[in-house]
C-alpha cells in the first residue's frame, strides 16, 4: 500500500476560487516526488494541504492508509522548507538547528550529537556560531534544510527552496538535496517551477496545469513518452516543436513542406483523414541537412543563438516556426535558406482535439 494517498482532492478557497481539481496520486515510502508547473497552477496549495496548513475542501488524504484530513501539521510528522528561509534571526546556526528538539525536551547531549551530525551532512560545521545575517543565501538555505531534516519526520516538504539563490548556488544545492535524500531516505515532495530541477531530482514528476494534475511519470517517461502536448512541451529546453494541421490525403503541411504520414508506418494515422493532428519533434532531434529515414524540411533561418555547447536555430517556413538545437560548429547563416531532417523514429503525433499522444 502507498505511504501517502491523495484521492480526489479538491481545494476551493473561501472566495470561491477552485485552485485544485480532483487531484489523485499515490506516493511510496522514500520516493522523491517533484510537483512542477507554472506560477499559479496549484502546487503550493496542494503541498500545503499535505502539510496540514490548508484545509482540504473535499477528497481523502491518507498517511499509511489512515485518513489524515483532520490531523494538524504536528500530528502528520511533516517538516517543511519554504522559499523564504524563515530562520530565527537572533539565534545562531546551532540554536536554529537545535530549536525544534529543544521544544520537544530532548536531552542536551542528544541535541548536540544531532546538530553536529546534521551540520556535517550540510557542510555547516564551521558556521555553527554564526548568526543567519552573517551567512550567504546558500548557507541560510542549508540551515533551513537542516532544521527540517534534524527531526526524524516521515514526510519532507519543500516549496521552491532554491528560488532565492543565484544560478550557481542552485546547481550546488540541487545535488546536495538529492544527496541528503539518498542519506535520509525520507519521503519528499518538492515543489518547483523549474523543469531542470524536476528532471534532475525527481523519482517521479507531477506536472500541474491550471489546478489539474497531468499524467505522472519518471523523468525518462516524461521526456521520451509524454502523454500529451502540455507535458511534451513542458519538459525539454527549448520545448518540443509542434506543427498543427489538417490531414489531407494522408499528408500534413509545414509551410511549403509536405509530410507524408504513411512513411511512419503507423496505421492509427489513417483515421485522421480530414481531422486535426499535431506533429511534434524535439529541437535536439532535428539534424541539419538531409538524412535517410527522415522527413526533410526546407526553411529559412531567422535567428541563431550560440550558447556554447549548442546553438538554437529559429527557422520558419510560411506561417510555421520551429527551433532546432544543433552543434555550434554547424551554425547556419542568419537569413539563409536551409534544409533539416527529422528522423521518423523521433516523431511524436498528438490528436489535434484532445492533444493526447497517438
Ligand atoms: P503555485 O504554487 O503553483 O504558484 P498556488 O497554489 O499558490 O500556485 O495558487 C494556485 C491558485 O490559487 C492561484 O490562482 C492563486 O491565486 C490562488 N490562491 C492561492 N491562495 C489563495 C487564497 N488564500 N485565496 C484565494 N485564492 C488563492
Ligand atoms: Mg507556489
Amino acid at each position: 500500500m502507498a505511504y501517502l494517498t491523495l484521492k480526489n482532492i479538491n481545494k476551493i478557497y473561501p472566495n470561491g476560487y477552485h485552485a485544485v481539481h480532483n487531484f489523485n496520486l499515490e506516493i511510496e515510502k522514500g520516493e522523491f516526488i517533484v510537483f512542477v508547473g507554472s506560477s499559479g497552477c496549484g502546487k503550493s496549495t496542494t503541498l500545503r494541504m499535505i502539510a496540514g496548513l490548508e484545509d482540504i475542501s473535499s477528497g481523502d488524504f491518507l498517511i499509511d492508509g489512515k485518513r489524515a484530513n483532520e490531523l494538524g501539521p504536528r500530528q502528520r510528522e511533516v517538516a517543511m522548507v519554504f522559499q523564504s528561509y524563515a530562520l530565527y534571526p537572533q539565534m545562531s546556526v546551532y540554536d536554529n538547528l537545535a530549536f525544534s528538539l529543544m521544544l520537544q525536551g530532548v536531552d542536551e547531549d542528544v541535541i548536540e550529537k544531532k546538530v553536529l551530525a546534521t551540520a556535517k551532512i550540510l557542510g555547516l560545521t564551521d558556521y555553527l556560531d554564526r548568526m543567519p545575517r552573517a551567512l550567504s543565501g546558500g548557507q541560510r538555505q542549508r540551515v533551513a534544510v537542516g532544521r527540517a531534516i534534524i527531526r526524524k519526520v516521515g514526510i519532507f516538504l519543500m516549496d521552491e527552496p532554491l528560488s532565492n539563490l543565484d544560478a550557481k548556488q542552485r546547481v550546488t544545492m540541487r545535488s546536495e538535496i538529492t544527496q541528503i535524500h539518498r542519506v535520509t531516505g525520507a519521503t519528499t515532495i518538492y515543489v518547483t517551477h523549474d523543469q531542470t530541477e524536476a528532471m534532475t531530482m525527481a523519482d517521479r514528476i507531477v506536472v500541474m496545469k491550471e489546478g489539474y494534475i497531468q499524467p505522472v511519470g519518471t523523468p525518462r517517461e516524461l521526456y521520451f513518452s509524454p502523454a500529451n502536448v502540455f507535458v511534451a512541451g513542458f519538459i525539454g529546453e527549448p520545448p518540443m516543436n509542434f506543427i498543427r494541421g489538417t490531414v489531407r490525403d494522408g499528408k500534413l503541411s509545414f509551410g511549403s513542406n509536405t509530410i507524408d504520414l504513411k512513411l511512419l508506418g503507423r496505421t492509427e494515422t489513417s483515421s485522421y483523414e480530414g481531422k486535426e493532428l499535431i506533429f511534434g519533434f524535439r529541437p535536439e532531434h532535428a539534424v541539419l541537412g538531409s538524412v535517410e529515414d527522415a522527413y526533410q524540411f526546407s526553411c529559412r533561418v531567422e535567428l541563431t543563438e550560440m550558447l556554447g555547447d549548442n546553438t538554437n536555430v529559429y527557422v520558419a517556413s510560411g506561417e510555421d516556426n520551429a527551433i532546432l538545437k544543433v552543434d555550434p560548429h554547424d551554425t547556419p547563416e542568419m537569413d539563409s535558406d536551409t534544409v533539416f531532417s527529422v528522423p521518423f523514429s523521433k516523431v511524436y503525433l498528438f490528436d489535434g482535439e484532445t492533444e493526447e499522444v497517438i
Side-chain angles (χ1 to χ4, degrees), residues 151 179 182 208 213 216 221 258 342:
R151 297 188 294 136
Q179 193 59 34
R182 215 170 276 158
M208 291 185 72
I213 183 172
V216 176
E221 285 165 347
T258 301
V342 177

Side-chain angles (χ1 to χ4, degrees), residues 73-91:
R74 289 208 172 272
Q75 297 159 296
R76 292 187 195 193
E77 297 270 299
V78 298
M80 189 145 168
V81 179
F82 299 92
Q83 178 177 344
S84 58
Y85 318 129
L87 301 181
Y88 301 108
Q90 73 287 12
M91 287 187 198

Side-chain angles (χ1 to χ4, degrees), residues 236-251:
E237 180 55 38
M240 186 183 281
N241 295 298
F242 299 110
I243 304 166
R244 191 182 265 275
T246 305
V247 181
R248 306 247 178 256
D249 294 332
K251 299 188 176 80

Side-chain angles (χ1 to χ4, degrees), residues 226-239:
N228 61 36
V229 167
F230 185 78
V231 173
F234 194 83
I235 302 292
E237 180 55 38

Side-chain angles (χ1 to χ4, degrees), residues 43-56:
K43 306 178 297 292
S44 296
T45 302
T46 308
L47 197 72
R48 291 169 58 82
M49 287 193 284
I50 294 169
L53 299 171
E54 199 71 68
D55 285 338
I56 296 171

Side-chain angles (χ1 to χ4, degrees), residues 38-45 48 83 159-160 191-193:
S38 36
S39 177
C41 69
K43 306 178 297 292
S44 296
T45 302
R48 291 169 58 82
Q83 178 177 344
D159 195 350
E160 310 228 10
V191 165
T192 180
H193 60 269

Side-chain angles (χ1 to χ4, degrees), residues 149-169:
I149 64 171
I150 199 161
R151 297 188 294 136
K152 287 268 179 304
V153 297
I155 310 164
F156 195 28
L157 307 175
M158 292 191 260
D159 195 350
E160 310 228 10
L162 307 186
S163 47
N164 284 344
L165 305 182
D166 65 38
K168 210 167 162 189
Q169 287 175 324

Side-chain angles (χ1 to χ4, degrees), residues 102-123:
M102 277 154 54
L103 284 186
Q104 288 172 18
V106 177
D107 284 346
E108 245 173 68
D109 49 333
V110 176
I111 292 180
E112 186 178 354
K113 238 185 244 157
K114 288 193 172 183
V115 169
L116 294 180
T118 305
K120 195 166 167 208
I121 295 175
L122 290 158

